[in-house]
Short mmCIF file of all heavy atoms in Angstrom, two decimals:
data_model
loop_
_atom_site.label_atom_id
_atom_site.label_comp_id
_atom_site.label_asym_id
_atom_site.label_seq_id
_atom_site.Cartn_x
_atom_site.Cartn_y
_atom_site.Cartn_z
N ILE A 81 2.35 -5.15 12.15
CA ILE A 81 1.37 -4.48 13.03
C ILE A 81 0.48 -3.56 12.20
O ILE A 81 -0.36 -2.86 12.73
CB ILE A 81 2.04 -3.70 14.18
CG1 ILE A 81 3.10 -2.71 13.65
CG2 ILE A 81 2.61 -4.64 15.22
CD1 ILE A 81 3.53 -1.68 14.67
N THR A 82 0.70 -3.57 10.87
CA THR A 82 -0.17 -2.83 9.96
C THR A 82 -0.66 -3.78 8.87
O THR A 82 -0.38 -3.58 7.68
CB THR A 82 0.58 -1.62 9.34
OG1 THR A 82 1.87 -2.06 8.87
CG2 THR A 82 0.77 -0.51 10.34
N PRO A 83 -1.37 -4.85 9.28
CA PRO A 83 -1.88 -5.80 8.29
C PRO A 83 -2.89 -5.12 7.37
O PRO A 83 -3.45 -4.07 7.73
CB PRO A 83 -2.56 -6.88 9.16
CG PRO A 83 -2.92 -6.19 10.43
CD PRO A 83 -1.84 -5.16 10.66
N GLU A 140 5.43 -3.51 6.67
CA GLU A 140 4.71 -2.48 7.42
C GLU A 140 4.39 -1.26 6.56
O GLU A 140 5.23 -0.82 5.76
CB GLU A 140 5.55 -1.97 8.60
CG GLU A 140 6.00 -3.02 9.59
CD GLU A 140 4.89 -3.55 10.51
OE1 GLU A 140 3.72 -3.14 10.37
OE2 GLU A 140 5.22 -4.39 11.36
N VAL A 141 3.19 -0.73 6.78
CA VAL A 141 2.83 0.60 6.27
C VAL A 141 2.50 1.45 7.50
O VAL A 141 1.35 1.75 7.80
CB VAL A 141 1.65 0.53 5.27
CG1 VAL A 141 1.36 1.92 4.71
CG2 VAL A 141 1.99 -0.42 4.11
N LEU A 142 3.54 1.80 8.25
CA LEU A 142 3.35 2.54 9.50
C LEU A 142 2.80 3.94 9.24
O LEU A 142 2.18 4.55 10.12
CB LEU A 142 4.65 2.60 10.29
CG LEU A 142 5.16 1.25 10.81
CD1 LEU A 142 6.49 1.41 11.52
CD2 LEU A 142 4.17 0.60 11.75
N SER A 143 3.02 4.45 8.01
CA SER A 143 2.48 5.78 7.68
C SER A 143 0.96 5.80 7.80
O SER A 143 0.37 6.85 7.99
CB SER A 143 2.91 6.20 6.27
OG SER A 143 2.42 5.28 5.32
N SER A 144 0.32 4.61 7.70
CA SER A 144 -1.15 4.55 7.79
C SER A 144 -1.66 4.64 9.23
O SER A 144 -2.84 4.82 9.46
CB SER A 144 -1.68 3.27 7.12
OG SER A 144 -1.27 2.14 7.86
N VAL A 145 -0.76 4.48 10.21
CA VAL A 145 -1.18 4.56 11.63
C VAL A 145 -0.35 5.62 12.37
O VAL A 145 -0.19 5.56 13.58
CB VAL A 145 -1.06 3.18 12.34
CG1 VAL A 145 -2.11 2.22 11.82
CG2 VAL A 145 0.34 2.60 12.22
N THR A 146 0.19 6.57 11.61
CA THR A 146 0.98 7.66 12.19
C THR A 146 0.12 8.91 12.29
O THR A 146 -0.58 9.25 11.33
CB THR A 146 2.22 7.92 11.30
OG1 THR A 146 3.02 6.75 11.30
CG2 THR A 146 3.04 9.09 11.82
N ASP A 147 0.21 9.57 13.44
CA ASP A 147 -0.47 10.87 13.61
C ASP A 147 0.50 11.93 13.09
O ASP A 147 1.49 12.26 13.75
CB ASP A 147 -0.78 11.09 15.10
CG ASP A 147 -1.40 12.46 15.36
OD1 ASP A 147 -1.45 13.29 14.42
OD2 ASP A 147 -1.80 12.70 16.50
N TRP A 148 0.20 12.46 11.92
CA TRP A 148 1.13 13.38 11.25
C TRP A 148 1.15 14.78 11.87
O TRP A 148 1.85 15.66 11.39
CB TRP A 148 0.83 13.44 9.75
CG TRP A 148 1.17 12.13 9.10
CD1 TRP A 148 0.31 11.15 8.71
CD2 TRP A 148 2.49 11.62 8.86
NE1 TRP A 148 1.01 10.07 8.22
CE2 TRP A 148 2.35 10.33 8.29
CE3 TRP A 148 3.80 12.12 9.05
CZ2 TRP A 148 3.43 9.54 7.93
CZ3 TRP A 148 4.88 11.32 8.69
CH2 TRP A 148 4.69 10.06 8.13
N THR A 153 6.07 11.32 17.53
CA THR A 153 6.10 10.01 16.86
C THR A 153 6.30 10.10 15.35
O THR A 153 6.95 9.23 14.77
CB THR A 153 4.79 9.22 17.12
OG1 THR A 153 3.68 10.05 16.78
CG2 THR A 153 4.68 8.78 18.57
N CYS A 154 5.76 11.14 14.70
CA CYS A 154 5.73 11.11 13.22
C CYS A 154 7.11 11.18 12.58
O CYS A 154 7.27 10.80 11.42
CB CYS A 154 4.80 12.19 12.66
SG CYS A 154 5.47 13.86 12.71
N PHE A 157 8.86 6.95 12.14
CA PHE A 157 8.46 5.72 11.45
C PHE A 157 8.50 5.81 9.92
O PHE A 157 8.42 6.89 9.36
CB PHE A 157 7.05 5.32 11.91
CG PHE A 157 6.97 5.11 13.39
CD1 PHE A 157 6.22 5.97 14.19
CD2 PHE A 157 7.65 4.07 14.00
CE1 PHE A 157 6.16 5.77 15.57
CE2 PHE A 157 7.60 3.87 15.38
CZ PHE A 157 6.85 4.73 16.16
N GLY A 158 8.62 4.64 9.29
CA GLY A 158 8.63 4.56 7.83
C GLY A 158 8.02 3.24 7.36
O GLY A 158 7.67 2.38 8.17
N ASP A 159 7.88 3.10 6.04
CA ASP A 159 7.25 1.92 5.43
C ASP A 159 8.28 1.08 4.68
O ASP A 159 9.22 1.63 4.09
CB ASP A 159 6.18 2.37 4.42
CG ASP A 159 5.11 3.26 5.05
OD1 ASP A 159 4.94 3.18 6.28
OD2 ASP A 159 4.47 4.02 4.30
N ASN A 190 1.52 1.59 21.83
CA ASN A 190 0.37 0.84 21.31
C ASN A 190 -0.47 1.68 20.36
O ASN A 190 -0.22 2.87 20.18
CB ASN A 190 -0.48 0.30 22.47
CG ASN A 190 -1.16 1.41 23.27
OD1 ASN A 190 -1.08 2.58 22.94
ND2 ASN A 190 -1.83 1.03 24.33
N ILE A 191 -1.45 1.01 19.75
CA ILE A 191 -2.52 1.69 19.01
C ILE A 191 -3.78 1.40 19.84
O ILE A 191 -4.25 0.25 19.86
CB ILE A 191 -2.65 1.16 17.57
CG1 ILE A 191 -1.38 1.52 16.78
CG2 ILE A 191 -3.90 1.73 16.90
CD1 ILE A 191 -1.36 0.99 15.37
N PRO A 192 -4.31 2.40 20.56
CA PRO A 192 -5.35 2.11 21.55
C PRO A 192 -6.66 1.56 20.97
O PRO A 192 -7.28 0.69 21.57
CB PRO A 192 -5.58 3.46 22.24
CG PRO A 192 -4.38 4.29 21.93
CD PRO A 192 -3.87 3.81 20.61
N ALA A 193 -7.10 2.09 19.83
CA ALA A 193 -8.47 1.76 19.38
C ALA A 193 -8.48 0.92 18.10
O ALA A 193 -7.48 0.77 17.42
CB ALA A 193 -9.24 3.05 19.15
N LYS A 208 -7.90 10.46 17.48
CA LYS A 208 -6.73 9.84 16.82
C LYS A 208 -6.22 8.62 17.58
O LYS A 208 -5.00 8.41 17.72
CB LYS A 208 -5.61 10.86 16.66
CG LYS A 208 -6.01 12.00 15.75
CD LYS A 208 -4.83 12.83 15.42
CE LYS A 208 -5.22 13.91 14.43
NZ LYS A 208 -4.25 14.91 14.26
N LEU A 209 -7.15 7.81 18.08
CA LEU A 209 -6.75 6.63 18.85
C LEU A 209 -6.46 5.42 17.96
O LEU A 209 -6.22 4.33 18.46
CB LEU A 209 -7.84 6.30 19.89
CG LEU A 209 -8.06 7.41 20.93
CD1 LEU A 209 -9.16 7.02 21.91
CD2 LEU A 209 -6.77 7.71 21.70
N HIS A 210 -6.49 5.64 16.64
CA HIS A 210 -6.09 4.57 15.72
C HIS A 210 -4.64 4.76 15.29
O HIS A 210 -4.16 4.09 14.37
CB HIS A 210 -7.02 4.53 14.51
CG HIS A 210 -8.45 4.28 14.90
ND1 HIS A 210 -8.95 3.01 15.04
CD2 HIS A 210 -9.45 5.13 15.24
CE1 HIS A 210 -10.22 3.09 15.42
NE2 HIS A 210 -10.53 4.37 15.56
N CYS A 211 -3.98 5.72 15.92
CA CYS A 211 -2.57 6.00 15.59
C CYS A 211 -1.66 5.51 16.71
O CYS A 211 -2.10 5.29 17.85
CB CYS A 211 -2.38 7.51 15.41
SG CYS A 211 -3.25 8.16 13.99
N ILE A 212 -0.36 5.39 16.38
CA ILE A 212 0.63 4.92 17.36
C ILE A 212 0.78 5.95 18.49
O ILE A 212 0.97 7.14 18.23
CB ILE A 212 2.00 4.72 16.68
CG1 ILE A 212 1.91 3.65 15.59
CG2 ILE A 212 3.07 4.35 17.71
CD1 ILE A 212 3.18 3.51 14.75
N LYS A 213 0.69 5.45 19.74
CA LYS A 213 0.96 6.28 20.92
C LYS A 213 2.18 5.69 21.61
O LYS A 213 2.26 4.47 21.80
CB LYS A 213 -0.22 6.24 21.91
CG LYS A 213 -1.56 6.60 21.30
CD LYS A 213 -1.68 8.08 20.98
CE LYS A 213 -2.95 8.37 20.20
NZ LYS A 213 -2.91 9.61 19.45
#
Side-chain angles (χ1 to χ4, degrees):
I81 54 165
T82 47
E140 303 287 3
V141 183
L142 294 177
S143 60
S144 67
V145 290
T146 298
D147 176 353
W148 292 103
T153 53
C154 76
F157 302 113
D159 303 337
N190 66 5
I191 294 177
K208 296 191 176 168
L209 297 179
H210 300 273
C211 294
I212 298 173
K213 307 288 172 202

